């Protein structure tokens, strides 16, 4: 695009005409500028998730095979998702903690759905630097608080997947989800 | 650089002074395409096409880099990643159509730029190097366009790759090994696709580099002009900025209107339907043609149908096709007329228009099926093409009587305005 | 030296091309190339008009829905539509639940893996899936269709010249081989198992007439399902599958060109302004 600075209008013949001429030059350059900005929008937008990626933005999970005390690791938006059925003992342990003493104060109720407190659905992404914590698989180290343990820098999460020790700043994220039936959830 | 009366760069703002001391890049730009470059005052609209070619290259690089973000250079997925870009990526259809049609418009602009040079004798001394570098850019563009056309991996992509690499197979003895080496296999495949993608990404930046040399070489003698008379003093020139930046701004606007009209309302008009069929090595399209900008050369390739003693017709076709481009490198030494501009060369001008018609007819025949009468027509017109550059131009230079040249650029401009004033004296001033 | 060399090279190329021309012309006169049966009997697509014709035309959603129904009930048994996803059908006016139901009830299932055994299995498609292919691979497709592989239809209307009219013409163009053809080209009788259609490139295609009788589908919007109507509707649908962004493209184009006309007009005035003094000086 041509850039015509209005100061060049000064070299034009003087008198009444100069202002109008300056105005046209400014208008032309402004239009070019507006055009460039508008063109930039699709150029930027193309890097956003495409329609096929967004179509996979929700995942259905079947809960029927998960026994109390067990967890499964599945994927949601190309990241690990932990789905765990808590045992009554684990629920009691989580409820015992005074939330105000926690780094990221939340109760188990706030992290689960009403009436289905045993279903703990969290992302399997450590809030420190994004490693996948251990504890969802059979026999994995669940850390000193009995939830999840991140081997990268030693963050320990409790049975409600709240951060209790180590560098992670937040509890494991609970994604948006809803029960589509008693034994199935839709995440996302 | 260039003329002694060129304006000098004097940064006013302290920050610009500071930058200019450490890295005189603003100065370079100022002298190259700013007020510091004096340009003949009489350039017509045909002198817009150099800048337009630059604009087209920028469009291609921007949309091309974006296409590469969504493209999978693998023969199993290439076609479907392009389709996915068209359907699912935000504004992906826009990027893809802009890139595909941008290539066509790049060639339109460059062909007009080349023919401007041919008519106005821009290739003559002292601008031979400008011409030679321009031809290098043209060759690089052809290679880039060819490889880019292979990437969507449609039927024309595949068979175009096969036919064009097959040209090298015509070379005696080493031909077949060269063809296999180019393809990385015995037929176009994943290896070919990957290397074409890599080179297709690289070459535009090489083109950008050669463009810098092209402009550099141009700035040594300064721009030519429609009279072909060299600049004699400050009265003959105006600073590039704002005079030609303003004119180029208008030219870019017109270019974008035409480009977007095709891009948004007929995006597949310049393409071939067969390229919307995924590549199939087992089935050849009824009628293989390259993209339109290669048609004249394709017609020359196919015009050779008779063996010359021990030289097979196929090899002759390949040699002639390359010769048809390479001969342009010799043009500054073939056309020895001291007069540059076609305006003052009556004989040259007639033959120039015959050449234009000749190339258009060749283009038409190149896009037509390889049947009679198209082959016979191509033979006659390809014959003229070679005769024009290699025989007729040198002869014209020897025998033509040029018209009297104006004494200077300013003189020709004054004559033009005097004439225009006489005709439209009644028009009120704006 | 350059000019002498050039002269010789030019003489050689031009001369040999002229010789080639004479050889070609001689054989053209002595043995004129025979007209092929395709030259004489192949027809250009019929003229047919659609709501999306012209630079500002738009798709007719009801027609696309009818066309989709024809595709579903007739074409999809043999032809894939692999670049289109069920979720794309929302552009036809179906809501999210309807799309979900269409996907779930689709006759062809999406290949998957049995989670217990790892054996190949199938599942109901979901909106995010592309239309599943009717045949697992080309070999299966060829085996089931008299050795002819039914092409994918996603891009069919862009993969042929005048594609929309071509699909319509092909669907309505099946006929008996003209007696005149057999008289002129006795060897060109339509082979067993193929079907004569003058709109097809080589006149005989493996596909049997897919739309054979009026009322083959039942339209829920009350449109009379004549063969002609069904052919138009499915051609419109396949135009949409090939170019789903057509309406966005035209709207964006209109805005862009209006903007550019104004901007270029301003650029022209600015150019004339800046040059005004130079012209006066003259």
């Amino acid at each position: 695009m041509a850039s015509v600075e209005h100061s060049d209008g000064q070299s034009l013949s003087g008198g009444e005409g100069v202002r109008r001429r300056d105005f046209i030059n400014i208008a032309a350059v402004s239009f070019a500028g507006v055009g460039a900005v508008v063109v930039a929008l699709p150029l930027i937008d193309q890097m956003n998730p495409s329609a096929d990626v967004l179509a996979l933005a929700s995942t259905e999970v079947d809960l029927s095979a998960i026994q109390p005390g067990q967890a499964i690791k599945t994927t949601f938006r190309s990241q690990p998702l932990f789905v765990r059925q808590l045992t009554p003992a684990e629920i009691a342990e989580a409820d015992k903690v005074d939330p105000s003493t926690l780094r990221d104060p939340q109760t188990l109720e706030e992290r689960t759905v009403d009436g289905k407190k045993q279903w703990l659905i969290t992302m399997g992404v450590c809030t420190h630097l994004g490693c996948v914590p251990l504890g969802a698989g059979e026999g994995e180290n669940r850390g000193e608080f009995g939830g999840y343990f991140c081997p990268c820098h030693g963050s320990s999460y409790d049975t409600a997947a709240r951060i209790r020790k180590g560098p992670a700043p937040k509890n494991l994220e609970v994604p948006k989800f809803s029960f589509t039936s008693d034994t199935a959830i839709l995440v996302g | 650089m260039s003329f002694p009366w060129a304006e000098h760069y004097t940064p006013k703002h302290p920050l610009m002074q500071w930058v200019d001391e450490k890295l005189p890049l603003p100065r370079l730009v100022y002298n190259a395409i700013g007020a510091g470059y004096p340009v003949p005052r009489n350039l017509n609209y045909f002198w817009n096409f150099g800048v337009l070619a630059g604009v087209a290259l920028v469009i291609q690089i921007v949309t091309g880099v974006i296409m590469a973000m969504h493209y999978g250079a693998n023969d199993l997925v290439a076609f479907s990643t392009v389709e996915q870009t068209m359907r699912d990526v935000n504004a992906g259809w826009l990027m893809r159509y802009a890139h595909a049609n941008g290539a066509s418009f790049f060639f339109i602009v460059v062909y007009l730029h080349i023919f401007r040079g041919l008519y106005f004798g821009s290739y003559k001394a002292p601008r031979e190097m400008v011409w030679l570098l321009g031809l290098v850019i043209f060759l690089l563009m052809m290679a880039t366009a060819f490889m880019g056309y292979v990437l969507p991996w449609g039927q024309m992509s595949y068979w175009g790759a096969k036919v064009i690499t097959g040209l090298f197979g015509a070379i005696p003895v080493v031909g077949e090994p060269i063809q296999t080496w180019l393809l990385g296999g015995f037929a176009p495949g994943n290896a070919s696709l990957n290397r074409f993608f890599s080179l297709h990404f690289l070459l535009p930046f090489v083109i950008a580099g050669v463009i810098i040399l092209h402009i550099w070489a141009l700035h040594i003698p300064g721009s030519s002009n429609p009279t072909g008379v060299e600049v004699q003093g400050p009265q003959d020139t105006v600073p590039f900025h704002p005079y030609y930046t303003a004119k180029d701004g208008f030219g870019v606007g017109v270019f974008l209107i035409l480009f977007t009209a095709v891009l948004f309302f007929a995006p597949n008009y310049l393409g071939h339907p067969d390229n919307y069929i995924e590549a199939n090595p087992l089935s050849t399209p009824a009628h293989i043609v390259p993209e339109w900008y290669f048609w004249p050369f394709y017609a020359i390739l196919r015009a050779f149908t008779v063996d010359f003693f021990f030289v097979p017709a196929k090899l002759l076709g390949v040699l002639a096709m390359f010769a048809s481009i390479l001969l342009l490198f010799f043009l500054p030494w073939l056309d020895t007329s001291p007069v540059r501009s076609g305006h003052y060369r009556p004989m040259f001008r007639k033959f120039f228009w015959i050449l234009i018609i000749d190339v258009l007819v060749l283009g038409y025949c190149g896009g037509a099926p390889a049947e009679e009468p198209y082959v016979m027509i191509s033979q006659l017109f390809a014959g003229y093409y070679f005769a024009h550059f290699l025989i007729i131009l040198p002869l014209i230079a020897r025998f033509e009587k040029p018209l009297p040249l104006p004494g200077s650029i300013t003189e020709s401009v004054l004559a033009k305005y005097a004439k225009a004033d006489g005709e439209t004296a009644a028009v009120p001033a704006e | 030296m350059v000019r002498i060399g050039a002269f010789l090279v030019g003489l050689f190329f031009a001369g040999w091309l002229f010789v080639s021309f004479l050889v070609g012309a001689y054989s053209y006169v002595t043995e004129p190339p025979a007209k092929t049966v395709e030259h004489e009997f192949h027809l250009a697509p019929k003229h047919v008009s659609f709501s999306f014709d012209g630079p500002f035309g738009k798709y007719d959603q009801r027609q696309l829905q009818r066309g989709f129904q024809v595709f579903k009930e007739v074409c999809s048994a043999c032809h894939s539509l692999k670049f289109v996803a069920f979720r794309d059908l929302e552009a036809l006016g179906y809501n999210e639940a309807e799309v979900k139901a269409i996907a779930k009830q689709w006759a062809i299932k999406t290949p998957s893996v049995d989670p217990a055994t790892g054996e190949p299995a199938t599942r109901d498609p979901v909106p995010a899936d592309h239309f599943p292919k009717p045949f697992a691979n080309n070999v299966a497709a060829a085996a089931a269709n008299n050795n002819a592989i039914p092409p994918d239809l996603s891009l069919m209307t862009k993969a042929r010249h005048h594609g929309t009219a071509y699909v319509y013409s092909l669907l309505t163009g099946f006929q008996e081989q003209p007696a005149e053809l057999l008289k002129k080209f006795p060897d060109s009788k339509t082979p067993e198992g193929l079907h004569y259609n003058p709109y097809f490139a080589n006149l005989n295609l493996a596909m049997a007439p897919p739309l054979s009788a009026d009322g083959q589908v039942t339209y829920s919007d009350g449109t009379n399902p004549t063969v002609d109507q069904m052919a138009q509707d499915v051609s419109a649908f396949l135009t949409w599958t090939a170019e789903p962004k057509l309406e966005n493209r035209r709207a964006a184009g209109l805005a862009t060109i209006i903007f550019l006309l104004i901007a270029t007009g301003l650029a022209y005035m600015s150019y004339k302004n800046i040059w005004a003094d130079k012209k006066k000086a003259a």
Side-chain angles (χ1 to χ4, degrees), chain B residues 44-120:
Chain B
N44 61 32
Y45 281 113
F46 281 100
W47 265 261
N48 278 53
F49 290 100
V51 165
L52 291 181
V55 170
L57 178 68
V58 170
I59 292 176
Q60 287 309 87
I61 288 182
V62 169
T63 54
V65 166
I66 288 173
M67 288 303 292
M69 292 182 190
H70 304 286
Y71 175 72
N74 180 294
D75 62 342
L76 298 176
V77 299
F79 189 86
S80 54
T81 55
V82 173
E83 263 316 303
Q84 198 214 357
T85 308
M86 296 279 284
R87 289 159 190 273
D88 289 338
V89 172
N90 300 312
W93 58 270
L94 179 59
M95 301 302 137
R96 204 275 171 118
Y97 279 149
H99 197 64
N101 287 292
S104 281
F105 274 79
F106 197 178
F107 274 96
I108 291 173
V109 163
V110 163
Y111 279 136
L112 287 167
H113 191 58
I114 292 175
F115 278 112
R116 189 270 287 161
L118 285 176
Y119 182 83
F120 291 104

Side-chain angles (χ1 to χ4, degrees), chain C residues 70-135:
Chain C
V70 176
F71 171 78
K72 179 170 88 173
E73 294 177 21
V74 183
C75 318
S76 70
C78 304
H79 289 279
S80 57
L81 196 66
K82 63 180 176 182
F83 296 117
V84 182
F86 287 99
R87 63 187 152 83
D88 295 330
L89 293 175
E90 285 186 32
L92 268 53
Y94 296 110
N95 62 33
E96 216 178 311
E98 285 170 322
V99 169
K100 208 166 177 180
I102 290 168
K104 198 173 171 59
Q105 290 154 16
W106 198 251
I108 305 156
K109 299 300 169 196
T110 297
S112 69
V113 174
D114 187 314
T117 64
E119 294 291 316
T122 58
R123 61 173 171 80
D124 290 338
V126 296
D129 288 324
H130 284 212
F131 281 87
K133 299 180 195 172
F135 301 104

